[in-house]
């Protein structure tokens, strides 16, 4: 195993928390993510459904979690893939029943072939079926993902049952990070820091952006991360103004800035970091002005990650501060704002995304813009300015743990101009 797993106590407790919120005489059903076909006989690297992982810690494809909540019999089942010798020769071992039970803390482990029979038996008594609603993200045909497909089929077979989504319950649990989750997240952050230091030392003019991407990937993998938590952005010059630029294939010019957005995934948990550095190791005067404007807002914004606030409040405040900075940078005047009649505030031309999102098993984790912050929630803080006409894009992003004293998990990553220039030279 590439990384150290969370103990099964965590998953046992997650199931207990969920069950306590549900009605009796019901069945909870969760299906693992699909394996996505790439081409020929190849598949994309497998990534487990985050909710299934949260409830049982199993990373294997073709897994089903079924929780029976009957008055006289509460029972947890986990169905896993059973492989034959030929599959073993080509792909190696899969989890055996003892291993699956050890990871998940589920006592009844069955082979996947037993699922249909077990389901029929549960359906004899169940009045309510609890399921996970997942977005249809597969391809331009809007194909339903595994949980939706399976539940739709069961709904067809048992139209008289009540079907209730457990998304809100699971969201509530995933939002607050336990100590064990924080260990995984801090490891992801630490590996991300190693990659940052490497690229600060090795970035030079005329390299290709993908050479920097390769440095990041190298540090991630050699330090035990599964890889990137999301497609890394290595954007020089005006490419930084393309928010989700992932081509990473241009020459990095002397005198330009380089915007990096990269984060390791460790034990399924994400780190999410953005930094902006001068390709030749020295900021120009104009780049300094823009950088320090964002850095100033970044430092002020960090104090907003306290219990009681929410993402909408942060976006509102940071938008105001950014607007003041943009006036100082000469991007528009107060008079322009007063005369502006458009639907979007003027500052949105240069800062078009939000400042915060939740982070966890998914880099853009569960939780909404109106979710009230509580101690133990983890969010990004990522103010930015993009001035395409000047070929300047600056984003600074860290991961903050909500508390009366918010904790910046990346507080030891070089971020001031002095720190960055010193690390590069
Ligand atoms: N890396 C994606 C984001 O910053 O939201
Ligand atoms: Mn990011
Ligand atoms: Mn982010």
């Amino acid at each position: 195993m590439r990384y150290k797993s969370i103990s099964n106590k965590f998953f046992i407790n997650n199931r207990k928390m969920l069950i306590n919120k549900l009605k009796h005489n019901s069945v909870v059903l969760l299906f693992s993510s699909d394996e996505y076909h790439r081409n020929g006989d190849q598949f994309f690297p497998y990534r487990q459904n985050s909710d299934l992982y949260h409830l049982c810690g199993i990373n294997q494809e073709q897994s089903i979690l079924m929780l029976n909540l009957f008055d006289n019999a509460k029972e947890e089942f986990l169905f896993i893939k059973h492989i034959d010798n030929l599959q073993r020769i080509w792909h190696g071992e899969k989890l055996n029943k003892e291993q699956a039970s050890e990871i998940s803390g589920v006592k009844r482990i069955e082979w996947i072939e037993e699922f249909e029979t077990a389901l029929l038996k549960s359906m004899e008594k169940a009045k309510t079926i609890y399921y996970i609603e997942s977005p249809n993200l597969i391809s331009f045909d809007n194909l339903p993902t595994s949980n939706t497909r399976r539940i739709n089929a069961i709904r067809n077979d048992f139209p008289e049952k009540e079907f209730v989504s457990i998304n809100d319950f699971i969201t509530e649990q995933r939002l607050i990070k336990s100590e064990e989750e924080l260990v995984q997240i801090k490891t992801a952050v630490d590996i991300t820091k190693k990659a940052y230091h490497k690229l600060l030392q090795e970035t030079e003019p005329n390299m290709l952006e993908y050479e920097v991407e390769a440095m990041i990937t190298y540090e991630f993998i050699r330090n035990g991360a599964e890889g990137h938590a999301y497609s890394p952005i290595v954007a020089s010059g005006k490419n930084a103004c393309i928010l989700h630029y992932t081509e990473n294939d241009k020459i990095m010019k002397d005198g330009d800035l380089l915007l990096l957005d990269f984060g390791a995934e460790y034990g399924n948990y994400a780190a999410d970091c953005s930094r902006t550095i001068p390709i030749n190791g020295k900021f120009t005067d104009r780049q300094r002005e823009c950088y320090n404007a964002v850095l100033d807002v970044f430092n002020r914004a960090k104090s907003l990650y306290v219990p009681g606030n929410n993402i909408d409040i942060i976006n509102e405040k940071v938008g105001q501060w950014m607007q003041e900075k943009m006036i100082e940078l000469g991007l528009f005047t107060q008079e322009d704002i007063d005369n502006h009649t458009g639907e979007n505030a003027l500052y949105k031309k240069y800062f078009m995304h939000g400042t915060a999102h939740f982070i966890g098993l998914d880099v853009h984790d569960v939780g909404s813009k109106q979710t009230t912050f509580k101690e133990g929630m983890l969010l990004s803080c990522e103010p930015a300015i993009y001035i395409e006409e000047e070929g300047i894009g600056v984003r600074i992003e860290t991961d903050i743990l909500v508390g009366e004293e918010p904790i910046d998990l990346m507080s030891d990553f070089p971020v001031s101009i002095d720190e960055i220039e010193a690390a590069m030279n």
Side-chain angles (χ1 to χ4, degrees), residues 92-109:
E93 287 296 341
K94 289 288 168 185
L95 294 175
N96 63 34
K97 290 186 178 181
E98 291 70 32
Q99 290 167 328
S101 181
E102 175 54 32
I103 293 168
S104 61
V106 173
K107 295 206 175 64
R108 288 284 302 268
I109 309 289

Side-chain angles (χ1 to χ4, degrees), residues 107-122:
K107 295 206 175 64
R108 288 284 302 268
I109 309 289
E110 305 286 349
W111 300 127
I112 191 95
E113 290 78 7
E114 307 298 327
F115 173 68
E116 291 300 331
T117 310
L119 178 69
L120 285 178
K121 197 151 167 257
S122 298

Side-chain angles (χ1 to χ4, degrees), residues 2 211 263 309:
R2 190 180 282 271
E211 292 181 70
N309 268 354

Side-chain angles (χ1 to χ4, degrees), residues 202-386:
E202 298 192 13
T203 296
E204 280 178 9
N206 301 320
M207 277 182 162
L208 283 134
E209 292 163 344
Y210 56 68
E211 292 181 70
V212 177
E213 178 180 343
M215 293 175 207
I216 298 170
T217 307
Y218 172 78
E219 285 298 323
F220 282 3
I221 301 292
R222 75 192 283 260
N223 284 292
E226 294 97 278
H228 297 268
Y230 53 91
S231 300
I233 296 169
V234 183
S236 61
K238 69 172 170 32
N239 302 326
C241 302
I242 303 167
L243 297 182
H244 281 173
Y245 175 82
T246 50
E247 289 170 6
N248 303 347
D249 61 353
K250 310 296 183 302
I251 291 177
M252 307 193 302
K253 294 200 204 93
D254 199 346
D256 274 352
L257 290 176
L258 181 67
L259 186 154
L260 302 134
D261 191 338
F262 60 111
E265 182 173 271
Y266 185 85
N268 285 347
Y269 287 86
D272 187 8
C273 176
S274 298
R275 298 289 134 145
T276 307
I277 64 172
I279 288 165
N280 63 14
K282 190 117 187 76
F283 286 85
T284 66
D285 289 347
R286 179 60 173 167
Q287 289 167 353
R288 270 173 182 268
E289 280 179 354
C290 297
Y291 188 88
N292 281 331
V294 177
L295 181 61
D296 194 37
V297 172
F298 172 81
N299 283 327
R300 281 162 76 186
K302 288 201 269 182
S303 64
L304 299 173
Y305 292 71
V306 290
N309 268 354
N310 65 30
I311 292 179
D312 275 340
I313 293 172
I314 291 187
N315 283 340
E316 173 74 25
K317 288 241 163 64
V318 170
Q320 282 302 317
W321 297 339
M322 270 306 184
Q323 179 168 288
E324 289 162 23
K325 293 290 179 188
M326 288 174 192
I327 294 173
E328 285 170 31
L329 289 170
L331 298 177
F332 46 75
T333 63
Q334 182 58 47
E335 206 182 346
D336 293 332
I337 296 172
D338 297 342
N339 294 334
H340 179 65
T341 52
E343 202 178 306
N344 287 326
L346 267 189
Y347 77 81
K348 293 221 183 252
K349 180 178 172 205
Y350 301 100
F351 177 35
M352 38 317 238
H353 56 76
T355 299
H357 57 78
F358 291 98
I359 303 173
L361 285 168
D362 303 349
V363 65
H364 293 165
D365 210 39
V366 291
S368 79
K369 290 185 179 140
Q370 291 79 39
T371 301
T372 303
F373 292 175
K374 289 191 188 142
E375 196 143 337
M377 292 181 176
L378 183 74
L379 294 106
S380 72
C381 175
E382 48 184 309
I385 289 182
Y386 309 96

